[in-house]
Amino acid sequence: MHLWVHSLATLPEPGRFACLSAGELTRAGRFAFERDRRRYLAARCALRERLAQHIGVAAMSLRIVEGPFGKPCLAEAPAHHFNVSHSEDVALIGISDASEIGVDIEMLRPISDAVSLAQSHFTPSELASYMASDDGSRDAAFLCVWTRKEACLKAIGTGLSVAPSEIDVGLGHGLARLCIELPAARIHVEVRSLAPSATTLGAVARVVEPNGPAGV
């Protein structure tokens, strides 16, 4: 598994736009705010360039399509799994040749409705741990659980068919292994928290075989 953190603070040079698809350029043009357009273009250019470098092909030749629940994949190279997340001016990109992965990143910030969100989306044990955390670390505690859940759900690629409150990722930052129950299968996932910088918190998850090796 390979992970990269990219800054989205500046608009890519126009020459880099050649690697983007017509659909990506069209979507970029729909953003109402220049800030959002810049972040989207910077993230898509970075993703395509990293994928191209990893696989060894031209970035403009990559055809990114969506799966049944909207998770992106490479049409001609489905064995190369990837995922991307961004928060404000920072993006996290993950690529794996071994298994489906999911990543999530969030800027550390005050969250006014964190308690109500936790009550709706955390498991009872997660909620108890979160409510027991110190006031000064409660926002970071919330984002720790939130990013771990998001990474797991993105790794299994089932969209909202699995509620966040149905998976228990724990409040700790270390490696956790869990089994996610789906209508037709059980999926084993490993998740670990990341601290890409002093102002961000993230997580990476991967799908593993029931008896596969541990460790993200």
Side-chain angles (χ1 to χ4, degrees):
M1 183 185 300
H2 306 271
L3 298 170
W4 297 271
V5 177
H6 281 270
S7 171
L8 310 180
T10 58
L11 184 70
E13 296 181 359
R16 295 175 63 194
F17 295 167
C19 71
L20 301 180
S21 68
E24 287 169 321
L25 293 172
T26 298
R27 182 177 177 184
R30 292 176 181 159
F31 285 103
F33 298 102
E34 179 60 26
R35 171 200 63 197
D36 297 328
R37 175 177 173 271
R38 179 242 305 161
R39 290 170 175 169
Y40 174 78
L41 287 169
R44 299 308 294 184
C45 284
L47 172 62
R48 283 183 170 272
E49 289 163 358
R50 287 296 184 184
L51 284 169
Q53 182 182 38
H54 181 78
I55 299 173
V57 300
M60 64 181 63
S61 70
L62 297 173
R63 191 161 65 93
I64 299 176
V65 297
E66 292 187 351
F69 294 95
K71 185 177 182 180
C73 61
L74 291 172
E76 287 82 15
H80 297 284
H81 310 283
F82 67 93
N83 202 230
V84 61
S85 173
H86 63 83
S87 179
E88 297 186 17
D89 283 340
V90 180
L92 176 64
I93 295 172
I95 301 176
S96 172
D97 297 332
S99 60
E100 289 282 2
I101 63 169
V103 300
D104 194 58
I105 191 168
E106 291 285 349
M107 296 293 296
L108 290 170
R109 63 194 188 279
I111 303 171
S112 58
D113 56 347
V115 172
S116 62
L117 287 171
Q119 291 172 336
S120 298
H121 300 296
F122 288 9
T123 66
S125 62
E126 290 169 345
L127 180 61
S129 297
Y130 165 70
M131 296 301 294
S133 59
D134 297 334
D135 290 343
S137 62
R138 186 163 286 184
D139 289 324
F142 173 84
L143 289 174
C144 173
V145 179
W146 190 267
T147 54
R148 289 164 75 89
K149 286 180 180 288
E150 286 284 339
C152 287
L153 292 174
K154 293 174 74 176
I156 64 176
T158 57
L160 296 177
S161 63
V162 176
S165 59
E166 294 179 7
I167 61 173
D168 194 311
V169 297
L171 184 55
H173 293 262
L175 177 69
R177 187 166 184 170
L178 57 148
C179 179
I180 300 176
E181 297 280 350
L182 300 179
R186 292 179 177 179
I187 301 182
H188 295 258
V189 178
E190 289 181 345
V191 61
R192 182 189 296 276
S193 291
L194 307 170
S197 72
T199 59
T200 59
L201 186 64
V204 56
R206 71 177 183 120
V207 175
V208 296
E209 294 297 328
N211 298 310
V216 174

